[in-house]
């Protein structure tokens, strides 16, 4: 389950890169009640989305020549340099070399062997987000990839992640947890890209963050009012909850879920 008691391999940060940061701030503030706080004049416009004074995510402006608008999920690493080497050995790509972030920690951004972008955060003064698994915060992540077995092998080699099969309607679901942490530390799943429930599956692999909400239908309606779009309508799964896939007005993908029980 996702908590802020971070262990190596678990998601401990996420941020959204947007072509219109002010517009994204307005959207997520209206959707989740987040407030935005700048990280300061030396941060290049980067800032923090907060909920009741607790940081839930980061946000930044990205130019058209840099990357398309997207959410990036970061996983805890005890040694970002060692993780970068492991990524390359597993046939991934280092997009941004490990770097110190104003003494708060070290970050790096990679692409896995299928081209899916993800990052690592090596904690320093900042351990990670302040809240997870609560309404308005990150509660689950899902990897959509063309080859589940290959992805499982890559993330095991790069981050030490372990996978297991859970029976679900329609077939087994591949769950993910940090190595050696057991099912109680499960934080996400891996889904074949061609099994994506959208009418038109996305063209490339990606990590999808899920945010916990009090009412999925109301959140979907509000997202549309704010200019977002629905890619997968609200769907209920017994024993899990009611979820929907959305994009913000600039194309960044995310999902929302009303879990049947905390953490689903």
């Amino acid at each position: 389950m996702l908590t802020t008691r971070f262990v190596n391999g678990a998601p401990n940060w996420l941020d959204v890169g947007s072509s219109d940061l002010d517009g994204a701030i307005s959207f997520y503030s209206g959707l989740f009640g987040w407030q935005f706080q700048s990280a300061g004049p030396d941060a290049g416009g980067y800032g923090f989305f907060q909920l009741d004074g607790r940081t839930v995510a980061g946000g930044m402006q990205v130019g058209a020549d840099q990357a398309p608008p997207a959410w990036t999920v970061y996983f805890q690493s005890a040694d970002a340099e060692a993780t970068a080497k492991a990524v390359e050995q597993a046939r991934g790509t280092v997009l941004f070399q490990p770097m110190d972030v104003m003494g708060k920690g070290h970050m790096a951004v990679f692409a896995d062997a299928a081209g899916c972008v993800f990052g690592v955060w090596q904690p320093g003064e900042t351990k990670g987000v302040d809240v997870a698994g609560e309404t308005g915060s990150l509660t689950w992540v899902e990897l959509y990839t063309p080859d589940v077995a290959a992805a499982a092998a890559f993330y095991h080699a790069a981050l030490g992640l372990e996978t297991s099969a859970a029976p679900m309607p329609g077939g087994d679901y591949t769950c993910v947890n940090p190595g050696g942490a057991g099912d109680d530390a499960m934080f996400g799943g891996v889904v074949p890209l061609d099994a994506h429930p959208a009418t038109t599956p996305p063209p490339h692999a990606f990590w999808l963050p899920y945010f916990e909400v009090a009412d999925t239908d109301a959140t979907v309606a509000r997202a549309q009012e704010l200019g977002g779009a629905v890619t997968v309508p609200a769907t209920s799964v017994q024993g899990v909850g009611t979820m929907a896939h959305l994009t913000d007005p600039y194309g960044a993908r995310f999902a929302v879920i009303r879990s049947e029980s905390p953490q689903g």
Side-chain angles (χ1 to χ4, degrees), residues 140-160:
W140 191 254
V141 295
E142 247 172 12
L143 172 64
Y144 285 87
T145 184
D147 188 329
V148 170
F154 173 87
Y155 286 98
H156 180 72
L159 297 174

Side-chain angles (χ1 to χ4, degrees), residues 178-223:
D183 289 349
D184 286 346
M186 192 180 298
F187 62 76
V190 185
V191 181
L193 188 60
D194 61 8
H196 190 282
T199 302
T200 303
H204 54 76
F206 68 104
W207 279 99
L208 182 73
Y210 280 70
F211 299 100
E212 187 72 33
V213 296
D215 185 325
T216 301
D217 290 330
T219 303
V220 168
R222 181 61 176 152

Side-chain angles (χ1 to χ4, degrees), residues 17-19 60-70 72 95-96 117 250:
S18 181
S19 56
M60 60 186 167
Q61 182 92 18
V62 293
D65 58 337
Q66 294 175 292
T72 301
L95 302 179
F96 293 96
V117 175
Y250 312 100

Side-chain angles (χ1 to χ4, degrees), residues 66-103:
Q66 294 175 292
W71 279 96
T72 301
V73 178
Y74 296 75
F75 301 84
Q76 179 162 303
S77 170
D79 186 333
E81 292 281 357
T83 300
K85 292 178 182 177
V87 165
E88 291 182 315
Q89 290 172 355
R91 299 191 176 181
T93 305
V94 178
L95 302 179
F96 293 96
Q97 292 286 345
M99 67 185 80
D100 175 75
V101 182
M102 299 184 291

Side-chain angles (χ1 to χ4, degrees), residues 148-182:
V148 170
F154 173 87
Y155 286 98
H156 180 72
L159 297 174
L161 302 186
E162 297 175 345
T163 57
S164 59
M168 295 282 286
D172 286 346
Y173 180 80
T174 302
C175 300
V176 185
N177 59 269

